[in-house]
Amino acid sequence: MNLESNASIQIQKPINEVYDGIVNPEKMVKYFISESTGPLETGKEVIWKFPEFPERFPITAIKLKENESISFVWDPDTVVTIKLEELSDKSTVVRVRESGKEFSEDNLKWALENSGGWANFLACLKAYLEYGIQLRRGAFDFMRK
């Protein structure tokens, strides 16, 4: 049995703005990462850096369907799939699913932690796109000590 981590949220912005907020590193550094070697593009590899970690994370196997879905690998055991759905009021539902790890005690802990991590990603994305607020700034400074 494979485990998966899930999170979803509704953002009061059109689908094209939400999509751009996820693939465009100039926007991502405002709410999620501190650095990127480039935009998410199908077939490309980028490196992400998070402000609270010294490591850099390669983002591979990137597949995009404009204004519909984004998928990538950043953990060799899992695939992240982000699906976008535009509603009649022009808001967008964003669903994140990270899956692929086999069931074990350690991987169950991973699934729970990553569900919280993806929920944080979505809350930060919503706050930034709707209100220009950077929720992540300073939120994880305690992890650097």
Side-chain angles (χ1 to χ4, degrees), residues 46-111:
V46 298
I47 306 294
W48 282 350
K49 168 105 177 56
F50 291 86
E52 63 272 17
F53 302 116
E55 304 88 22
R56 296 180 183 280
F57 297 87
I59 309 304
T60 64
I62 299 168
K63 294 180 187 164
L64 306 178
K65 290 183 184 174
E66 188 170 355
N67 298 334
E68 186 178 322
S69 67
I70 299 150
S71 68
F72 59 85
V73 171
W74 69 349
D75 168 344
D77 296 334
T78 67
V79 174
V80 174
T81 303
I82 302 171
K83 294 198 174 192
L84 307 175
E85 175 189 354
E86 189 168 61
L87 302 181
S88 60
D89 66 356
K90 298 300 182 198
S91 66
T92 304
V93 175
V94 184
R95 292 182 176 86
V96 180
R97 176 177 176 251
E98 187 171 6
S99 62
K101 288 194 183 281
E102 294 284 326
F103 180 82
S104 72
E105 193 170 312
D106 285 344
N107 289 346
L108 183 57
K109 181 181 175 191
W110 163 88

